Amino acid sequence: MLDAIDLNLLRIFDAVMTERNVTRAAFTLHMTQPAVSNAINRLRLTLKDPLFVKVQGGVLPTQRAELLWPPIRDALARIAETLERNEFDPARSEAVFRLAMSDYVADQVIRPLFVEQQSVAPNIRIHLHPYSLDNTAALLDKGEVDMAAGVYSNFGSSLRTLPLETLTYVCAMRKGHPLLSLPRFTLDDFLRARHLVVSLLGTAALIDHELAAHGYKRNAVLTINQFALAPRLLAETDLICVVPVNAVRNSPHSHQLEAIEPPFPLIPRTVNLIWHERSDNLPAHRWLREEILKVCKAQGMMFDPVQGAESHAY
């Protein structure tokens, strides 16, 4: 069977599996769409399986394709590692990195990273994928993303991690909010207030699980799936929101907001960079991990808990 397969077809197969879209795969491979389609047709004939079926917005792998992909992807990664021989030249590389993270982490990490690397590594490409606590391990295991970053602690034995940021949470609201005029912001005040909740999946946030463990429930009236929208909503309403302090501090609406210490002690959480062990020694991946760490250090993302936050606007 191996003698009958052009190994380049496996690289194209990997790209289509990753993108689930022939046009995007062609762009990634620097090929035309017809050339990618022709390659997949050749592989279909060799393997005697359709491999992909057309669906709205792309293609869906067959069961055979899903079974073939993990060993093929691992083999391609090992070949790449062998050929690179621990050498990686960011100035000449056209590497494509697929990362899963929330918009908050992307703003803290990818935005400054990409701005910095435009002159150092002008031809690398970064594709961001949806992130949630529920799908991170599966995405990494299947090779659908190269790395992920988020508040994730359920690490399997095949995953590697690097801490990037310790999150300090604050209760944010607009300047002039009625709660700011109270002599003391109590837990009862906090629970009765109208809350804006940020949840990537639209389900209960980690903070809600903490509150529930103590028999408390906050008054959640609006749930959104991105951190970037929260500051503007807070500035224009009487909602309050528990968010990482940098989500407020780095927002263009920071001058309209106040951030105070929540009346309920929240467990500090760590944003981790996560990857599969198969990419431990890939030079390109090692380089990117090191660059991400440099960015985090330069951004001062490791910080102490807010002291006297009620007297500061962020």
Side-chain angles (χ1 to χ4, degrees):
M1 174 66 75
L2 186 60
D3 293 340
I5 295 179
D6 177 351
L7 294 183
N8 192 50
L9 298 182
L10 300 182
R11 185 172 67 92
I12 296 171
F13 168 76
D14 175 57
V16 177
M17 283 294 295
T18 298
E19 299 295 341
R20 307 297 165 103
N21 183 287
V22 174
T23 301
R24 290 198 298 268
F27 178 78
T28 300
L29 294 163
H30 300 288
M31 296 174 63
T32 64
Q33 181 176 338
V36 171
S37 296
N38 181 60
I40 293 300
N41 285 332
R42 289 169 57 196
L43 195 57
R44 282 173 172 148
L45 292 173
T46 302
L47 298 177
K48 297 180 175 59
D49 188 88
L51 298 178
F52 301 98
V53 294
K54 289 184 179 179
V55 295
Q56 185 175 4
V59 293
L60 185 69
T62 64
Q63 185 176 11
R64 178 97 189 274
E66 292 281 12
L67 291 172
L68 288 170
W69 192 33
I72 287 174
R73 183 157 186 78
D74 285 348
L76 290 173
R78 291 191 182 98
I79 290 171
E81 180 181 354
T82 300
L83 295 177
E84 287 177 351
R85 296 176 302 166
N86 296 324
E87 296 176 1
F88 177 72
D89 183 358
R92 300 177 61 184
S93 174
E94 296 182 354
V96 178
F97 299 105
R98 294 153 305 169
L99 310 178
M101 57 184 62
S102 69
D103 65 314
Y104 168 78
V105 180
D107 184 57
Q108 301 294 304
V109 178
I110 298 304
R111 179 184 53 81
L113 172 72
F114 198 78
V115 170
E116 178 71 22
Q117 295 305 324
Q118 285 186 99
S119 58
V120 177
N123 298 315
I124 68 165
R125 283 169 288 166
I126 296 175
H127 295 175
L128 294 185
H129 290 243
Y131 165 87
S132 78
L133 296 178
D134 295 336
N135 69 3
T136 300
L139 290 174
L140 291 165
D141 283 338
K142 292 179 180 178
E144 294 182 20
V145 298
D146 301 309
M147 301 175 206
V151 180
Y152 188 80
S153 57
N154 186 22
F155 306 123
S157 59
S158 62
L159 299 183
R160 302 290 181 263
T161 66
L162 180 68
L164 298 180
E165 177 183 6
T166 299
L167 297 178
T168 295
Y169 290 97
V170 294
C171 187
M173 62 194 75
R174 68 172 178 83
K175 287 185 175 180
H177 194 290
L179 289 176
L180 295 172
S181 63
L182 296 177
R184 180 169 169 265
F185 183 37
T186 68
L187 179 58
D188 284 340
D189 297 325
F190 173 80
L191 296 176
R192 283 197 304 265
R194 292 164 56 84
H195 283 256
L196 170 66
V197 177
V198 183
S199 170
L200 300 182
L201 290 178
T203 56
L206 291 173
I207 292 165
D208 292 300
H209 292 298
E210 284 187 48
L211 289 168
H214 291 83
Y216 302 130
K217 183 178 181 180
R218 57 180 172 165
N219 179 26
V221 298
L222 177 60
T223 300
I224 58 176
N225 65 351
Q226 51 184 292
F227 286 92
L229 182 58
R232 180 174 180 178
L233 280 168
L234 294 175
E236 296 176 349
T237 68
D238 275 342
L239 297 175
I240 69 172
C241 187
V242 176
V243 289
V245 66
N246 275 352
V248 180
R249 182 180 286 158
N250 297 336
S251 165
H253 299 279
S254 61
H255 64 287
Q256 299 173 274
L257 303 175
E258 294 277 356
I260 65 176
E261 187 174 356
F264 180 82
L266 298 171
I267 300 172
R269 302 186 186 278
T270 300
V271 174
N272 287 289
L273 182 65
I274 315 152
W275 65 95
H276 198 278
E277 63 181 0
R278 74 169 73 89
S279 61
D280 254 349
N281 296 316
L282 291 177
H285 289 228
R286 284 205 313 268
W287 171 83
L288 183 61
R289 294 195 297 266
E290 291 168 0
E291 293 303 308
I292 288 175
L293 188 59
K294 287 179 187 176
V295 165
C296 292
K297 289 180 177 177
Q299 295 283 327
M301 289 173 64
M302 303 299 290
F303 49 80
D304 295 328
V306 175
Q307 298 296 325
E310 60 271 16
S311 63
H312 298 281
Y314 298 109

